[in-house]
Amino acid sequence: MTQPSTDSNRFAFGANWARFLTVLDDDRIQEAEKSLKTMLGVEDLQGKTFLDIGSGSGLFSLAARRLGAKVHSFDYDLQSVACTAELKRRYFPDDTQWQVESGSALDKDYMSSLGEFDIVYSWGVLHHTGAMYTGIELAQQRVAGGGKLFISIYNDQGGQSHRWRGIKKLYNELPSIFRVPYMLIILIPRGTKYFLFSTLKGKPFEYINSVINYSKYSSRGMSKWHDMVDWIGGYPFDVAKPEDIFSFCYDRGFSLVRLKTCGGGLACNEYVFTK
């Protein structure tokens, strides 16, 4: 049985999501719903079953449930499980159509026990397991005939991705008291660069506005700070080129129906496949 990396430097995703829940509001939830509807090409999820692999904060499980799906959420990180359970408690207490539990995306027996789903969703998760392609294959096996697989995977930038892997590993090796200063050392020069670019275009407040209104600019309802903590700290860290993900899924009977790239940058490429 393969388990997610037990590296002692593994990032504590759940702790970051717990902090994110303090800023979660209806606007962010609606943006998450919009993201699902856009990528899946639907207006709602009534009558559909939805598997959220690595549910994290629980935001997208909540969005799927609000859109009408029967939802099964799980995460390997116990604090993430607690976050998802907290959102269920807030918005759908005692709801039998939303199940939340602990589980591993790399546990073949556990994954097989779940059955099949109309939509299998795993956004920004499988590249953090330490065995990305195993995770993708096990996720594929949970998709019902005619169902959809919606995943996002970090874009492969070659040497730049290798450097970021080192940055992420070092973040997790540092004592917690040094992590915020370390983040600022990395992020301030990048933020300054983007601010100067917007100023040179004659739009000095463009970058500032994008930070303040990040939940809308990101199209996923996330917050800038919590996304940045996740980005700097997210380790283990695997990447892939779009053509590699396409070939891997195509060879296993999946057809690509929607692709949203990060424009060749360091962020995630998003894929929706049908079985």
Side-chain angles (χ1 to χ4, degrees), residues 89-268:
R89 184 197 66 77
R90 289 184 194 178
Y91 294 94
F92 287 90
D94 303 317
D95 182 24
T96 60
Q97 300 299 298
W98 183 0
Q99 183 175 353
V100 182
E101 64 184 15
S102 172
S104 167
L106 300 183
D107 184 333
K108 293 181 181 179
D109 292 337
Y110 171 72
M111 292 292 285
S112 295
S113 74
L114 298 176
E116 295 183 339
F117 294 79
D118 298 310
I119 299 160
V120 174
Y121 174 87
S122 192
W123 209 103
V125 172
L126 300 175
H127 50 225
H128 289 311
T129 61
M132 180 176 70
Y133 283 108
T134 297
I136 295 174
E137 187 163 27
L138 291 177
Q140 290 171 334
Q141 293 170 8
R142 298 303 98 224
V143 182
K148 294 180 179 179
L149 174 69
F150 180 3
I151 59 174
S152 76
I153 301 294
Y154 278 134
N155 190 43
D156 186 353
Q157 287 286 284
Q160 196 170 4
S161 295
H162 182 74
R163 287 191 293 275
W164 273 106
R165 185 177 290 110
I167 289 170
K168 292 166 180 284
K169 188 173 188 296
L170 177 57
Y171 172 92
N172 289 282
E173 290 173 345
L174 289 171
S176 58
I177 193 173
F178 296 121
R179 290 178 179 174
V180 170
Y182 177 72
M183 282 188 60
L184 294 176
I185 289 170
I186 294 167
L187 294 176
I188 287 175
R190 291 172 62 85
T192 300
K193 179 180 70 174
Y194 293 130
F195 173 72
L196 290 174
F197 283 164
S198 65
T199 300
L200 290 173
K201 291 190 299 181
K203 300 177 180 179
F205 296 105
E206 183 179 65
Y207 175 71
I208 294 173
N209 191 44
S210 72
V211 172
I212 294 172
N213 297 294
Y214 184 74
S215 63
K216 296 180 180 179
Y217 280 80
S218 72
S219 78
R220 283 179 43 80
M222 306 307 294
S223 78
K224 179 73 171 180
W225 177 254
H226 296 93
D227 256 7
M228 289 299 96
V229 173
D230 182 282
W231 167 246
I232 299 292
Y235 184 83
F237 173 70
D238 286 320
V239 296
K241 295 179 179 179
E243 57 265 34
D244 295 332
I245 297 298
F246 170 79
S247 295
F248 185 85
C249 293
Y250 180 81
D251 290 345
R252 288 159 178 78
F254 286 79
S255 299
L256 183 68
V257 294
R258 195 175 298 272
L259 171 64
K260 181 180 179 181
T261 72
C262 60
L266 286 165
C268 290

